[in-house]
Amino acid sequence: MAENGTDCDQRRIGMSKEQHNGNFTDSSMLSERKRREREERLNIVLWKKPLVTLQYFCLETLINLKEWTIKLWRRRGVLVCVLLALAVLTAMYYIEGAHQQYVRYMEKKFFWCAYWVGLGILSSVGLGTGLHTFLLYLGPHIASVTLAAYECNSVNFPEPPYPDQIICPDEETTAGSISLWAIISKVRLEACMWGAGTAIGELPPYFMARAARLSGAEPDDEEYQEFEEMLEHAEAAQDFASRAKLAVQNLVQKVGFFGILACASIPNPLFDLAGITCGHFLVPFWTFFGATLIGKAVIKMHIQ
């Protein structure tokens, strides 16, 4: 009986070794296959394989159109309401009447807000390499309004968009009546719209990581690959940059909404990692975007 027990133990050990070797072989084959597939995807470009690229483009376009059509059909009530609202707004825009002054005012406000939202998107959409529109546009705009407010001793300038030169009003005001809060109120709209644009610019990393997690594929993006390597070697991280990235990832993953809000409310060059983390761990869209919008467009902009 002792010999039979020894034989059984040896068989068990042998089977576990074979299973371990099999898992190791399968994982290495899987990684090799992923590497080959990534290389094949990199070769599918218009100047190397134009016909294959156009074929995949057409197929992907048809698939997306089919999915969007199905989604719109399921929400056809909302679609009809939106179309009716657009028709009413179009009619109000082109029909002459006393309401045209309000239409022109709303049109001017809309394009002014869209201008700053677009600059905010340009600032954050490049995964940390975007155009620094705060230093180039918003900062000088705030500085010019501040200087004009102290020079004119008033903030009653023309409504934005401002003319080429800010003209002081004719009314007389007492010296020293300009407060910091009055200047903040004058530039709050532009600053908040710029912050909302930066929040919108953080969405591509979120959607990229979320799509990769749901599909099981690895996107050809260096930022996402760095994030995957950081998760694999989280315990062995020693340098400050790796520990900082890991701290951001842990804060967002464990605290949730308020962790995202804290990361978005301070000048944080690692916030792209927060977007990738939220997408990778399938954080709901409105949780991520709501916290990012409040943090960047309200809290961070007032601090700046």
Side-chain angles (χ1 to χ4, degrees):
M1 293 179 65
E3 293 177 356
N4 291 335
T6 304
D7 292 339
C8 290
D9 292 338
Q10 290 177 351
R11 288 196 197 96
R12 254 190 242 107
I13 294 172
M15 291 175 64
S16 64
K17 286 183 179 179
E18 290 176 359
Q19 187 177 4
H20 177 73
N21 292 333
N23 291 336
F24 179 76
T25 305
D26 292 340
S27 62
S28 62
M29 290 177 62
L30 183 62
S31 62
E32 181 65 22
R33 189 179 67 179
K34 287 183 178 180
R35 186 186 63 81
R36 289 199 304 268
E37 290 176 353
R38 186 181 294 111
E39 291 178 354
E40 291 177 0
R41 288 198 301 271
L42 291 175
N43 288 326
I44 301 177
V45 290
L46 194 60
W47 55 87
K48 289 183 179 180
K49 298 180 179 179
L51 296 179
V52 176
T53 305
L54 292 175
Q55 179 186 1
Y56 284 144
F57 170 76
C58 294
L59 291 174
E60 185 69 20
T61 303
L62 291 175
I63 291 172
N64 289 331
L65 288 175
K66 179 182 177 182
E67 292 177 353
W68 294 342
T69 303
I70 294 172
K71 290 180 180 179
L72 290 176
W73 179 251
R74 290 175 180 172
R75 297 172 176 84
R76 52 187 178 273
V78 178
L79 179 62
V80 170
C81 294
V82 171
L83 292 177
L84 288 176
L86 290 176
V88 171
L89 291 176
T90 304
M92 292 177 61
Y93 184 81
Y94 286 104
I95 295 176
E96 296 295 334
H99 64 281
Q100 283 296 322
Q101 57 178 339
Y102 304 105
V103 172
R104 301 306 174 200
Y105 174 78
M106 294 303 297
E107 181 184 13
K108 185 172 67 172
K109 281 284 187 181
F110 173 78
F111 284 111
W112 181 248
C113 293
Y115 171 75
W116 290 108
V117 169
L119 289 177
I121 293 174
L122 290 176
S123 179
S124 63
V125 76
L127 287 173
T129 60
L131 186 67
H132 296 287
T133 53
F134 181 85
L135 298 176
L136 295 175
Y137 296 94
L138 183 59
H141 172 72
I142 295 174
S144 64
V145 171
T146 304
L147 292 173
Y150 280 109
E151 181 180 351
C152 300
N153 202 28
S154 173
V155 292
N156 294 326
F157 310 133
E159 287 293 322
Y162 299 104
D164 295 335
Q165 287 184 338
I166 298 177
I167 303 173
C168 295
D170 296 331
E171 59 185 19
E172 294 183 0
T173 55
T174 58
S177 61
I178 297 300
S179 64
L180 180 63
W181 185 254
I183 299 173
I184 291 175
S185 300
K186 189 66 176 179
V187 297
R188 181 183 289 118
L189 177 65
E190 297 92 314
C192 290
M193 290 298 104
W194 185 86
T198 60
I200 296 172
E202 300 293 348
L203 293 180
Y206 169 82
F207 284 121
M208 176 198 67
R210 183 181 178 87
R213 182 67 184 273
L214 291 175
S215 64
E218 294 183 3
D220 301 322
D221 187 87
E222 295 181 359
E223 195 85 11
Y224 187 80
Q225 292 172 6
E226 181 182 351
F227 172 75
E228 290 283 355
E229 293 177 359
M230 187 193 69
L231 290 181
E232 293 177 0
H233 306 92
E235 300 298 330
Q238 296 295 331
D239 57 305
F240 175 77
S242 299
R243 289 201 302 270
K245 292 179 180 180
L246 189 61
V248 171
Q249 183 259 328
N250 289 331
L251 179 65
V252 171
Q253 183 183 356
K254 294 179 180 179
V255 184
F257 179 89
F258 293 102
I260 303 169
L261 183 64
C263 291
S265 300
I266 58 176
N268 186 1
L270 301 176
F271 190 78
D272 290 329
L273 188 64
I276 296 175
T277 301
C278 292
H280 181 79
F281 291 103
L282 303 181
V283 174
F285 169 76
W286 287 111
T287 300
F288 169 73
F289 184 66
T292 304
L293 186 63
I294 295 172
K296 285 183 173 291
V298 180
I299 302 175
K300 181 182 175 182
M301 285 316 303
H302 279 85
I303 293 174
Q304 288 181 316

